[in-house]
Amino acid sequence: MRELSLYETKQIKVGEGLTISAVMAILITAVIAVIVYRLFLSSSAKVTIPGGFKFEW
């Protein structure tokens, strides 16, 4: 692994990591909200999430 030059270190933007973290948090919150809605507010619901987990209400 090589060291970055002065120019390359000035090109690093600190806010990019914070932005992607915020976008992912909002996306995860939206997915969880849809799952909770389908499970608890509808009369009958089936939800399958990645990993093979199935929920029926």
Side-chain angles (χ1 to χ4, degrees), residues 5-6 8 11 13-14 16-17 19-21 23 25 28 30 33-34 36 38 48-49 51 53-54 57:
S5 69
L6 184 60
E8 291 171 331
Q11 297 301 315
K13 307 272 190 289
V14 180
E16 291 175 355
T19 301
I20 192 68
S21 298
V23 168
I28 290 169
V34 168
V36 168
R38 289 186 66 190
T48 304
I49 58 175
F53 297 102
K54 294 182 181 182
W57 195 259

Side-chain angles (χ1 to χ4, degrees), residues 23-42:
V23 168
M24 292 301 291
I26 292 170
L27 180 64
I28 290 169
T29 303
V31 168
I32 290 173
V34 168
I35 290 172
V36 168
Y37 173 78
R38 289 186 66 190
L39 280 177
F40 297 112
L41 297 181
S42 61

